[in-house]
Amino acid sequence: MRHHWIRASHRWLGLALTLSVAANFIAMVFGPPPATITYAPLAPLALLIVTGMYLFVRPYLRRSG
């Protein structure tokens, strides 16, 4: 269970991305949102890409070695 924290962090990052996108849409109701809210989903998205690619490749790495 050495890689359990990566799977758990991937789930929490998904939640953070969902909340930041929801905050973006809620802010749009009140006018143009500030740049911090507009670009807030990019950080969790980038981390989700990295952890998701690792979780995708991990079973193939286990077979070869």
Side-chain angles (χ1 to χ4, degrees), residues 12-35:
W12 283 106
L13 286 169
L15 180 65
L17 177 68
T18 303
L19 291 175
S20 61
V21 169
N24 201 346
F25 280 111
I26 291 170
M28 284 183 193
V29 171
F30 300 107

Side-chain angles (χ1 to χ4, degrees):
M1 298 296 275
R2 188 173 77 173
H3 303 286
H4 176 70
W5 65 274
I6 293 176
R7 186 174 302 276
S9 64
H10 186 75
R11 289 183 189 137
W12 283 106
L13 286 169
L15 180 65
L17 177 68
T18 303
L19 291 175
S20 61
V21 169
N24 201 346
F25 280 111
I26 291 170
M28 284 183 193
V29 171
F30 300 107
T36 55
I37 294 177
T38 302
Y39 296 116
L42 294 179
L45 180 62
L47 292 171
L48 270 171
I49 291 171
V50 172
T51 57
M53 287 181 2
Y54 173 77
L55 289 171
F56 178 76
V57 171
R58 194 180 80 172
Y60 299 107
L61 294 176
R62 186 182 287 176
R63 287 185 199 157
S64 65

